Amino acid sequence: MPMDVIDLRNFYGRALGRVARALIGRRIRAMWPEVKGLSVLGLGFATPYLGPFLGEAERVVGLMPAQQGVLRWPPEGRCLTGLVDEKELPLDDESIDRVLIVHGLEASEAMRAMLRQVWRVLAPGGRVLIVVPNRRGLWARREATPFGQGQPFSRGQITQALRESMFSPAGWEVALFVPPFDLRPLMRSARAWERVGAFLWPRFAGVILVEATKQIYAATPIPEARRVAAIRQRVRAMAPVPRGWQKDMEDER
């Protein structure tokens, strides 16, 4: 069962979690070095990685799926997090410039629907950056960490998921070569593990980071309820409705 927000908070409070945040955060920042004046959305449990964008981006918000739960963030000042249905994000179309998904895709109960929602809210020219456990990595086999929960991905699998949801992969990075154990010598040498691992065995990283852009020529998917309502409106406009028709239909039901 995927970890909830309490488990995730506790993990990032441990030495291993702090090391993971530093190593992954460095890669995220390298891929997004400048967000001044942009709106940034964190989806899943992305708040450990949103801090560097506060004060730089025009707007930063963290949305957490209902099955995971929500925690207040940041600890001080105005709360910037909210609990949402991952299939219906409460944001306007094309309103977000950058979307960061961490501990979201691998634990999603409706991955394709969530990605379609990300496509909808992402502005033209916007980018989504997704962090997922690497199927080949040691971290995906260690259930004591959140990267060992849910569905891990290979590079081919995440590429297919993105393309099916109208995204085009644009950039790749990897991180977490240090073994996922709370051992002080490992924590102290984590940066050395990253340098050596990236050079010698990049396919066995703990996580994959992929940046993607939306295919702007694709049509925005319409939720089923809205689609049915639109069809009914068109039918009523095209043909007169006999008096008492709605009551008769209800009686038949």
Side-chain angles (χ1 to χ4, degrees):
M1 181 178 179
M3 292 184 172
D4 61 20
V5 288
I6 304 301
D7 297 323
L8 290 163
R9 181 194 62 187
N10 292 341
F11 168 75
Y12 282 104
R14 291 160 44 195
L16 185 61
R18 292 192 293 270
V19 167
R21 177 171 56 186
L23 298 177
I24 296 173
R26 184 179 297 113
R27 297 297 186 186
I28 292 173
R29 197 56 170 163
M31 298 179 81
W32 286 354
E34 177 64 52
V35 297
K36 185 177 181 180
L38 302 180
S39 55
V40 178
L41 165 66
L43 187 59
F45 193 78
T47 51
Y49 304 96
L50 293 178
F53 302 125
L54 289 174
E56 180 182 338
E58 180 179 351
R59 178 174 53 152
V60 178
V61 62
L63 299 181
M64 302 181 185
Q67 68 271 18
Q68 176 183 278
V70 65
L71 289 176
R72 177 185 175 86
W73 179 86
E76 303 294 336
R78 180 183 177 187
C79 179
L80 301 176
T81 54
L83 189 69
V84 298
D85 181 347
E86 62 185 7
K87 301 185 294 295
E88 288 288 340
L89 299 183
L91 298 169
D92 294 334
D93 295 354
E94 302 182 350
S95 60
I96 301 295
D97 300 301
R98 298 286 186 271
V99 179
L100 174 63
I101 304 177
V102 186
H103 304 306
L105 210 61
E106 68 271 22
S108 175
E109 297 178 352
M111 180 180 68
R112 184 172 299 181
M114 183 181 74
L115 286 174
R116 291 294 182 91
Q117 283 293 299
V118 173
W119 190 97
R120 179 183 65 81
V121 304
L122 195 64
R127 293 178 178 267
V128 56
L129 178 55
I130 305 174
V131 180
V132 291
N134 180 14
R135 181 176 293 277
R136 294 183 176 182
L138 184 60
W139 285 74
R141 294 166 172 78
R142 175 75 169 154
E143 294 185 358
T145 81
F147 301 102
Q149 305 291 322
Q151 175 187 352
F153 291 85
S154 66
R155 181 164 171 165
Q157 288 171 328
I158 190 64
T159 297
Q160 181 179 356
L162 286 168
R163 288 178 175 169
E164 289 177 350
S165 300
M166 304 180 293
F167 286 100
S168 296
W172 299 86
E173 277 288 357
V174 290
L176 290 190
F177 293 95
V178 60
F181 302 102
D182 282 295
L183 300 176
R184 187 170 298 178
L186 291 177
M187 301 299 96
R188 289 176 176 174
S189 59
R191 293 189 180 184
W193 278 94
E194 291 296 293
R195 290 193 298 270
V196 174
F199 180 73
L200 294 179
W201 50 83
R203 293 185 178 182
F204 298 98
V207 298
I208 298 171
L209 295 86
V210 54
E211 185 184 41
T213 58
K214 64 188 293 185
Q215 298 174 2
I216 59 175
Y217 55 81
T220 304
I222 301 175
E224 181 67 15
R226 289 172 55 190
R227 186 181 68 82
V228 172
I231 292 174
R232 288 175 176 171
Q233 288 294 334
R234 288 198 295 270
V235 169
R236 291 174 183 174
M238 291 170 60
V241 179
R243 181 176 299 176
W245 173 82
Q246 185 174 3
K247 184 178 185 300
D248 293 340
M249 291 293 291
E250 293 175 351
D251 292 340
E252 290 179 5
R253 292 178 183 176

